[in-house]
Amino acid sequence: MEKKKISIDKSACIGCGCCAGTYPEDIAIGADGLAESVTGVAEEDVASVCPVGAISVEE
Ligand code: SF4
């Protein structure tokens, strides 16, 4: 699947770890316990793993 540029809204993130667990090469859980982008990109369906809609994918 094609990777696309993503952004993560830390104010919405609840730190569940679903995104980092599913896409560990592109997303990590930071020292603050919230998700952060490692590469700036991720598989285009990444937003679907977040239960609170904190990940947006640029078209
Ligand atoms: S899936 Fe969403 S709420 Fe869970 S850690 Fe990732 S960005 Fe945060």
Side-chain angles (χ1 to χ4, degrees):
M1 196 177 294
E2 186 185 351
K3 288 192 177 183
K4 296 204 167 173
K5 193 170 177 210
I6 65 160
S7 58
I8 299 173
D9 179 359
K10 284 208 176 207
S11 66
C13 175
I14 57 171
C16 71
C18 292
C19 57
T22 309
Y23 301 105
E25 69 279 16
D26 290 318
I27 302 174
I29 300 299
D32 57 4
L34 302 174
E36 54 193 35
S37 174
V38 175
T39 57
V41 297
E43 305 288 344
E44 59 186 325
D45 69 344
V46 64
S48 68
V49 307
C50 180
V52 295
I55 306 174
S56 25
V57 179
E58 285 186 21
E59 290 305 319

